[in-house]
Amino acid sequence: MKQATFSTEVGDDFSKFDDDGRIKRTGTTLTASAHIITAVIGSGVLSLAWTIAQLGWIAGPIALLAFSVITWFTSTLMADCYRSSDGKRNHTYRAAVQSYLGGYKILLCGIAQYGAIVGVSIGYSITTSISMVAMKRANCFHKEGHESGCHVPNNAYIIANGVIQIVLSQIPNFHKLSLLSIVAAVMSFAYSSIGLSLSMAKIAEGGHPETSLTGVPIGDDMSSMHKMWNTFSALGNIAFAYAFPQVLVEIQDTLKSGAPENVVMKKATLIGISISTIFYMLCGILGYAAFGNDAPGNFLTGFGFYEPFWLIIIANLCIVIHLIGAYQVYSQPLFGFVEAWAGTKWGESKFITKEFQIGDTFSLNLFRLVWRTTYVISTTVVAMLFPFFNDFVGLVGAITFWPLTVYLPIEMYISRTKVRRGSFAWVWMQFLSFTCLIISLLAAAGSINGLIKSLASYKPFHSVS
């Protein structure tokens, strides 16, 4: 991958560059924490009431806490792998894998990371459109009554989100996304808080919906096989809720020089994951207490709440703003990889490299315009084909959690610190990795089963909420 180099022209301002010749980084603990919260608290939080309903009062909170601790632990290992043993920065997750592991693991990383990014982009497109539709339906229910269908086609809203993302995708890199991430993080707090408040209000109303230590009981409406698949799918939803390590190195690469980047990143990771887990626990537990075993798949768009309708609209507007920003945070590593590869292969092409300055702060690159627009259109079309919220996010979480969050960080750390094979540390890290692999496979099976059932009765491009 090409790196920027210092020019030797007289008059160059060397203070604008870091030790690797790139433009000076300006990120801090605050901006890194904001990036993490933006990436972590996404559409996953909306399914946690349903997730706890499938797992129950015992396994649900334990699973949430376990995924949180595992993600935090492996993220600290990743933070130590940002710089190679010779002090060279690894600007991307894939570069870190190449530096420490090499071989087929680079291919595994590329397939998993960029596949996860595409999956998350599609998932966020689905969720953003669902929230846009929910805003319109909330107003309709208020005017027409709660018994009214108020059905609204999703596709126009998926396309509207795509148009917005095409414009925002021209932001060149992570370093220009700090303000967008901070706004998105504030939005995530806002809609999570509204969901919590509405859940507490519903609990205070009484009614005592049925809950269970083991979740939705097996009975006439729930066979033992269906219960098993839902349990596996719920684990995938939790994995998706913590799906951010694939952009962790890229976030760390925004941190300014001074304090060691791994120290700052570990602090930001602890802050980001701790805050996210508190919100997850509250949303999942209070959402289950409010709705019981009938908890909707998305507790702000499934219309467990109808009033106050204006608050439902505000909450979903916050979701839209947040996920628009999160889409960009997640997509940057893939954008950057393709553009760096093209620059290396066709470095002499003006179509690839030439920047057209527009005003004082904005520049346009033709290859970036064509490539990123094509990517957004592609994810938008797939979102229109498969608009299944719970099963889709569960599948993405399941197939990416083990390789990106557990296996590769552990293997890189073992390589970096020369952990002796067969030692206690090596054995328990391998045990953790194997356990997470089994969980990921079971979660993927549950989500695939759900998708197959959903597709059996679905007509593409005719999605209606």
Side-chain angles (χ1 to χ4, degrees):
M1 189 176 294
K2 284 189 173 181
Q3 292 187 5
T5 55
F6 287 119
S7 170
T8 56
E9 296 283 338
V10 176
D12 277 355
D13 185 357
F14 291 96
S15 66
K16 293 181 180 179
F17 299 91
D18 266 326
D19 53 10
D20 57 352
R22 294 192 172 212
I23 297 296
K24 186 172 287 294
R25 298 158 179 84
T26 58
T28 63
T29 302
L30 174 63
T31 60
S33 299
H35 282 315
I36 291 170
I37 292 170
T38 299
V40 177
I41 303 182
S43 56
V45 72
L46 304 171
S47 67
L48 291 180
W50 178 88
T51 297
I52 299 295
Q54 309 314 307
L55 299 174
W57 285 122
I58 298 176
I62 290 175
L64 267 174
L65 186 60
F67 274 87
S68 170
V69 172
I70 291 170
T71 303
W72 167 78
F73 171 69
T74 56
S75 295
T76 62
L77 303 185
M78 282 283 290
D80 285 335
C81 296
Y82 172 63
R83 285 186 181 268
S84 303
S85 55
D86 59 2
K88 178 184 175 183
R89 297 173 188 263
N90 294 305
H91 304 291
T92 65
Y93 193 125
R94 190 170 180 274
V97 173
Q98 185 171 16
S99 174
Y100 287 105
L101 301 177
Y104 74 92
K105 292 175 184 175
I106 300 174
L107 179 61
L108 172 64
C109 172
I111 293 173
Q113 185 187 20
Y114 301 132
I117 289 170
V118 173
V120 169
S121 298
I122 296 167
Y124 281 1
S125 296
I126 294 170
T127 314
T128 303
S129 69
I130 289 173
S131 289
M132 289 177 174
V133 167
M135 293 165 63
K136 187 169 183 177
R137 294 186 74 201
N139 188 57
C140 173
F141 284 129
H142 177 70
K143 292 180 177 179
E144 305 294 334
H146 299 172
E147 302 303 320
S148 175
C150 291
H151 298 300
V152 179
N154 282 14
N155 289 335
Y157 295 92
I158 296 178
I159 293 171
N161 174 67
V163 172
I164 294 170
Q165 297 297 354
I166 286 173
V167 175
L168 291 179
S169 68
Q170 297 311 306
I171 297 174
N173 53 50
F174 256 121
H175 306 280
K176 304 296 184 181
L177 284 174
S178 294
L179 179 59
L180 185 61
S181 273
I182 290 173
V183 171
V186 171
M187 292 298 103
S188 69
F189 281 121
Y191 70 72
S192 297
S193 299
I194 291 172
L196 288 174
S197 300
L198 291 171
S199 294
M200 288 187 285
K202 191 172 182 67
I203 294 169
E205 289 176 0
H208 306 293
E210 181 184 358
T211 62
S212 169
L213 293 177
T214 57
V216 180
I218 297 173
D220 294 337
D221 298 326
M222 177 69 67
S223 67
S224 57
M225 187 64 68
H226 190 193
K227 170 73 174 179
M228 179 187 73
W229 290 126
N230 279 6
T231 299
F232 293 161
S233 183
L235 293 175
N237 282 2
I238 297 176
F240 181 85
Y242 285 103
F244 92 97
Q246 58 260 43
V247 294
L248 189 145
V249 175
E250 285 79 358
I251 293 173
Q252 190 166 348
D253 194 46
T254 68
L255 296 175
K256 64 183 178 182
S257 301
E261 297 92 353
N262 63 330
V263 174
V264 178
M265 195 61 190
K266 288 179 182 179
K267 184 177 179 181
T269 300
L270 181 60
I271 293 171
I273 292 181
S274 296
I275 292 173
S276 301
T277 300
I278 291 171
F279 270 84
Y280 280 177
M281 282 288 189
L282 290 173
C283 287
I285 291 172
L286 293 180
Y288 183 40
F291 299 112
N293 295 328
D294 295 325
N298 182 325
F299 83 148
L300 280 175
T301 64
F303 286 94
F305 308 113
Y306 288 94
E307 300 292 343
F309 81 101
W310 55 268
L311 195 56
I312 306 298
I313 292 174
I314 291 174
N316 280 285
L317 178 61
C318 291
I319 293 172
V320 169
I321 296 172
H322 173 238
L323 294 187
I324 285 173
Y327 182 108
Q328 293 300 318
V329 169
Y330 265 102
S331 299
Q332 283 297 330
L334 180 56
F335 290 162
F337 168 74
V338 171
E339 287 154 20
W341 172 81
T344 301
K345 192 170 183 64
W346 299 292
E348 302 303 317
S349 171
K350 291 185 178 180
F351 175 74
I352 301 293
T353 60
K354 186 173 178 58
E355 296 281 343
F356 296 92
Q357 197 66 32
I358 302 174
D360 296 329
T361 59
F362 185 75
S363 63
L364 180 68
N365 173 275
L366 293 179
F367 176 72
R368 184 166 67 234
L369 176 64
V370 172
W371 143 239
R372 296 190 182 191
T373 299
T374 302
Y375 174 82
V376 173
I377 291 173
S378 300
T379 58
T380 299
V381 171
V382 175
M384 293 168 68
L385 283 170
F386 306 106
F388 311 118
F389 176 72
N390 287 90
D391 294 321
F392 195 90
V393 299
L395 180 60
V396 173
I399 63 178
T400 60
F401 177 75
W402 175 74
L404 295 177
T405 303
V406 182
Y407 175 70
L408 290 173
I410 284 177
E411 292 300 307
M412 283 191 286
Y413 184 79
I414 288 175
S415 174
R416 180 181 184 277
T417 58
K418 304 295 189 293
V419 175
R420 183 172 56 84
R421 188 180 183 87
S423 66
F424 175 76
W426 185 89
V427 169
W428 82 259
M429 281 195 280
Q430 295 301 324
F431 175 76
L432 173 64
S433 179
F434 178 75
T435 302
C436 291
L437 171 60
I438 298 301
I439 292 172
S440 291
L441 291 175
L442 293 176
S447 298
I448 291 171
N449 178 72
L451 280 173
I452 291 172
K453 287 183 177 180
S454 298
L455 285 170
S457 59
Y458 174 70
K459 294 181 179 180
F461 299 109
H462 288 83
S463 178
V464 178
S465 293

